[in-house]
Amino acid sequence: MKWTQYSLKTTTAATDMISYTLGEIGVEGIEIEDHVPLTEDEKRQMYVDILPDTIPDDGTAIIRFYRDTEENPEEFIQKVTAALDELKSFMDIGDGIIEISETADKDWINNWKEFFHTFRVSDKLIIKPTWEPKVNLPDYKSDDIVIDIDPGTAFGTGSHETTKLCLLALEKYITAKSNLLDVGCGSGILSIAAVKYGAKHALGIDIDQYALPSTIENRDINNVPADKFEAICGNILDDENLQQQVGYECYDIAVANILANVIIPLSAEVGKHIKPGGLFISSGIINTAADDVKNAITDNGFEIIETTTLGDWYCFVAKKP
C-alpha cells in the first residue's frame, strides 16, 4: 500500500496549534522535525552519552502527515489550507507551504529487524532473534547456549557493545550460587543469560513499564522458570518501597547496563543491596564519562577489580568490601 505524504513548513511556535488543528480535520498522526535543543531530562532518557551535532534552532519546523493515496489530495489540501488561513489571522505560522509526495507503506515498528541477525557473543553464547527459525552459524556447537530475543520496545538485543561487555562479565563471574539483581533489565537478556550460565535466581527492575512485557515474553521464550527470573517496575534510586521489596545485602552480583549519569547515583544505592564481597557490574559508559563513573563507584566504597572496553564503551566490575 502507498501513502501520500504532506509536508508543511511552519514555525516551531506554531507546531502545537497546527497539530491540534490537523487533528480536528481528521489527521490521526504527525511527525515534527525541528531544531529545538533537548532538555536535560530528555537527554537522560536517551540511551546515548554523546548526542549527535544538531543544527542551530532557527525557529522553523516541518510537520509531516500521511493519507491514503485513494483519497483526493486536492480536496484534502483545500481543507488544510482553509484551516491554516484561520490560524494566520491570529498567529505567525511561517511559510505555511505544503508539499506533496508519495511514499511506500512501512512497518515502522518491525523494519529494524532486517538488521538484527544471529551472532556469537563468546565461545559458549549465541544470541538469536526469535524470528530466525534456527541458528545458522558455521561455528555452531551442540553445547552452545542460545538465547532467543525479541526486544520489542525494550533495549537489549545483545548486539550493542555495552550489552556484550555485560554478557561477558556475567559469563566470567556467575556461579551456581549467584543471586543476581539486574537494574534496568530492558529485554531481560542479561538476567536470562545469567540463569542460563547457572545463576540461582535473577530479579530484573526497569523504570519503563512498557519494557516489562518484552522482559517476561523473552523469559518464557527461553524456557526460564518464572521462579528463577522475576521482573518488576520501578525506580530503585528514589522509591523506598521498591528498595525494601528488592531487599538489602542479598545479591551476589548486581548488573546495570544503563547510562553513565544514572550509574553515578546508582553506585550510592546499589551497594545496600549487594552482599559483602559481592560484585557490581556496570556498563553503558562512554569513554568520555569513564573517569566520572569510576570515581563515583570507588567513592561509594567499591574496589574496581576489572575494566574492559569494546569500541568507545567501558565496563567496570567492582567489589563490595
Side-chain angles (χ1 to χ4, degrees):
M1 183 175 181
K2 293 185 176 181
W3 299 86
T4 301
Q5 175 183 278
Y6 298 86
S7 299
L8 169 61
K9 295 182 179 179
T10 183
T11 66
T12 304
T15 54
D16 285 346
M17 184 59 71
I18 291 177
S19 300
Y20 173 79
T21 301
L22 291 173
E24 290 291 291
I25 61 176
V27 176
E28 296 182 351
I30 65 169
E31 300 172 6
I32 298 176
E33 177 184 325
D34 59 30
H35 310 302
V36 178
L38 295 172
T39 66
E40 290 304 314
D41 284 342
E42 289 169 333
K43 291 178 183 178
R44 282 192 289 269
Q45 293 173 29
M46 299 179 69
Y47 196 80
V48 289
D49 280 287
I50 295 180
L51 296 169
D53 292 335
T54 56
I55 299 172
D57 183 15
D58 59 1
T60 64
I62 297 175
I63 297 178
R64 296 187 180 89
F65 45 99
Y66 302 85
R67 307 287 288 185
D68 191 332
T69 52
E70 296 180 0
E71 181 182 58
N72 187 327
E74 293 182 1
E75 292 182 3
F76 179 66
I77 284 290
Q78 290 176 0
K79 187 186 297 185
V80 173
T81 300
L84 294 177
D85 285 343
E86 290 186 21
L87 290 180
K88 287 179 182 178
S89 63
F90 62 87
M91 71 181 304
D92 177 16
I93 67 166
D95 291 343
I97 298 172
I98 302 174
E99 296 179 353
I100 303 175
S101 60
E102 193 173 90
T103 182
D105 191 18
K106 293 182 178 180
D107 184 350
W108 301 105
I109 298 223
N110 292 306
N111 273 5
W112 65 273
K113 290 182 178 180
E114 66 181 278
F115 303 104
F116 176 32
H117 301 288
T118 301
F119 65 96
R120 180 175 290 281
V121 175
S122 69
D123 185 56
K124 66 167 64 174
L125 178 65
I126 290 173
I127 304 296
K128 183 180 80 64
T130 56
W131 52 90
E132 291 191 354
K134 63 180 181 179
V135 175
N136 187 21
L137 294 177
D139 60 349
Y140 172 66
K141 308 184 299 294
S142 60
D143 60 348
D144 280 327
I145 296 172
V146 179
I147 296 179
D148 287 273
I149 286 291
D150 183 348
T153 58
F155 179 84
T157 63
S159 58
H160 194 279
E161 289 93 335
T162 62
T163 312
K164 288 180 181 178
L165 288 167
C166 288
L167 288 168
L168 292 170
L170 289 172
E171 182 176 313
K172 181 175 182 178
Y173 291 104
I174 286 290
T175 72
K177 297 180 179 180
S178 296
N179 193 20
L180 178 78
L181 176 62
D182 182 359
V183 183
C185 58
S187 67
I189 187 170
L190 297 181
S191 289
I192 293 168
V195 174
K196 294 283 188 179
Y197 289 147
K200 182 170 60 177
H201 182 268
L203 174 65
I205 306 170
D206 204 290
I207 196 170
D208 181 4
Q209 62 178 322
Y210 298 107
L212 290 187
S214 296
T215 306
I216 300 303
E217 182 179 351
N218 285 316
R219 178 194 69 187
D220 296 342
I221 288 171
N222 286 279
N223 298 313
V224 174
D227 61 351
K228 295 273 287 184
F229 173 25
E230 302 171 78
I232 56 178
C233 182
N235 187 345
I236 197 171
L237 291 178
D238 57 20
D239 186 336
E240 292 184 4
N241 290 330
L242 179 68
Q243 293 166 0
Q244 294 177 8
Q245 183 179 357
V246 168
Y248 296 100
E249 293 198 341
C250 52
Y251 297 92
D252 302 279
I253 299 176
V255 62
N257 182 27
I258 319 179
L259 289 168
N261 61 359
V262 177
I263 294 171
I264 288 172
L266 178 63
S267 62
E269 173 64 33
V270 74
K272 303 173 186 176
H273 306 278
I274 299 173
K275 297 176 182 177
L279 301 179
F280 176 35
I281 300 170
S282 60
S283 192
I285 307 159
I286 196 69
N287 52 13
T288 55
D291 286 342
D292 290 338
V293 174
K294 182 177 180 179
N295 291 336
I297 292 172
T298 55
D299 288 347
N300 282 289
F302 289 96
E303 175 194 358
I304 293 179
I305 61 172
E306 184 177 16
T307 300
T308 54
T309 62
L310 197 55
D312 294 329
W313 300 92
Y314 273 67
C315 175
F316 294 120
V317 179
K319 186 175 183 180
K320 178 179 175 178

